[in-house]
Amino acid sequence: MTEDILRYDILVQNALRGVIRKVLSEIDKTGLPGNHHFFITFMTQAPGVKVSNRVKEQYPEQMTIVLQHQFWELEVNETGFGIGLSFSEIPEKLYIPYSAIRGFYDPSVNFELEFDVDENDAAETQPDNAEGANLAVVKPATDITEISSTEPKTKEQKSASVQTETTAESEGGEPTADVVSLDAFRKKK
């Protein structure tokens, strides 16, 4: 077979991450419509991720945030997004590059995207100032641990809750959504 010099796999991942950017941009402007809410799983050690040391110690490899009940200061740009969340009643500001995202799930419409995050992909999609970080590909867990969020609501605040999870499954252990896997687009060796 011919070598894929164009790297379609990376182009597809970047295009699908653009869907996340577009959705978050709309939420930033209008708020969460209807029953929509999002589970966003990301690698906490990925280049460009900004979380407090306390949160990074608690979630050294990956974590999932759920934008549903309470969040504030959502700021979306071309490379990632910043958001304010409360962890155990302590407000925190996070910045998550799109290249660090492992999964995006909207259970209200059964829509899910999964991404392969590894050192090679991250190095090609990160700016030069993010060199040297080591990304680990982690097998997803299936348990959910909710982190309480009791930050007082104001007019400007939006909904979000923070939970840790890596896959959404029904009680019987079966996946609850169709997953768009990038492996289908990759050349088999």
Side-chain angles (χ1 to χ4, degrees):
M1 285 192 131
T2 305
E3 181 183 355
D4 182 5
I5 297 170
L6 295 176
R7 294 298 311 262
Y8 287 109
D9 57 335
I10 292 173
L11 294 172
V12 170
Q13 280 201 36
N14 289 338
L16 290 173
R17 284 187 170 107
V19 170
I20 297 170
R21 183 180 67 242
K22 176 68 174 161
V23 167
L24 292 177
S25 294
E26 291 300 315
I27 300 312
D28 184 29
K29 293 175 191 169
T30 63
L32 285 167
N35 291 326
H36 288 280
H37 57 287
F38 314 117
F39 290 68
I40 302 173
T41 301
F42 65 98
M43 305 301 294
T44 56
Q45 298 294 329
V49 170
K50 293 181 181 151
V51 297
S52 71
N53 288 335
R54 182 179 73 83
V55 171
K56 197 175 278 191
E57 285 173 10
Q58 192 171 2
Y59 305 99
E61 295 174 341
Q62 72 178 8
M63 71 181 292
T64 295
I65 56 174
V66 179
L67 279 61
Q68 184 174 16
H69 294 299
Q70 203 170 41
F71 62 90
W72 55 94
E73 296 179 21
L74 177 61
E75 298 170 7
V76 181
N77 63 40
E78 290 298 311
T79 59
F81 67 98
I83 191 164
L85 296 168
S86 186
F87 296 85
S88 300
E89 301 182 27
I90 300 172
E92 304 261 357
K93 183 75 174 168
L94 290 77
Y95 181 80
I96 304 163
Y98 302 118
S99 60
I101 295 175
R102 294 251 354 238
F104 177 88
Y105 178 55
D106 183 346
S108 69
V109 293
N110 238 3
F111 178 77
E112 183 171 4
L113 296 173
E114 285 186 349
F115 301 95
D116 294 328
V117 178
D118 65 34
E119 291 181 41
N120 296 332
D121 290 344
E124 293 181 33
T125 60
Q126 288 297 319
D128 292 337
N129 64 355
E131 295 176 335
N134 185 19
L135 297 180
V137 177
V138 181
K139 296 262 189 235
T142 57
D143 64 320
I144 299 174
T145 308
E146 185 165 345
I147 300 171
S148 65
S149 176
T150 58
E151 191 72 20
K153 290 185 180 184
T154 65
K155 233 164 120 178
E156 292 81 29
Q157 289 178 328
K158 300 172 186 170
S159 303
S161 67
V162 180
Q163 298 179 353
T164 58
E165 182 205 45
T166 56
T167 59
E169 294 184 356
S170 66
E171 289 181 22
E174 296 297 318
T176 59
D178 294 330
V179 177
V180 178
S181 175
L182 294 177
D183 289 336
F185 299 101
R186 293 211 170 129
K187 169 173 69 173
K188 304 290 187 233
K189 292 183 182 181

